[in-house]
Amino acid sequence: METYTAMRHFADSWGLLAMTLFFLGVVFFIFRPGAKNADAQASVIPLKETDPWPTSTLTR
């Protein structure tokens, strides 16, 4: 059996199963009950007012 044929048979059977399980895992992770609080905290990170270059740490 050629390498291409073996890889194609693997992708047709177990590869599809692995990708489906990965997809379902990602969907479950996103829509889990505790995700709402983490999503709310992550959504305001770009809006926080922080000084990226504080003047007190600069040396001259």
Side-chain angles (χ1 to χ4, degrees):
M1 183 182 286
E2 293 181 23
T3 304
Y4 171 77
T5 307
M7 295 299 286
R8 183 174 175 195
H9 285 290
F10 176 77
D12 285 344
S13 57
W14 295 107
L16 180 61
L17 178 64
M19 287 188 289
T20 303
L21 291 175
F22 179 76
F23 174 77
L24 292 175
V26 168
V27 169
F28 176 74
F29 182 76
I30 292 172
F31 292 113
R32 71 188 192 280
K36 189 172 187 174
N37 187 26
D39 291 340
Q41 289 177 355
S43 67
V44 296
I45 289 174
L47 304 176
K48 289 184 178 178
E49 296 273 341
T50 58
D51 188 8
W53 303 102
T55 55
S56 62
T57 60
L58 294 177
T59 57
R60 295 180 189 223

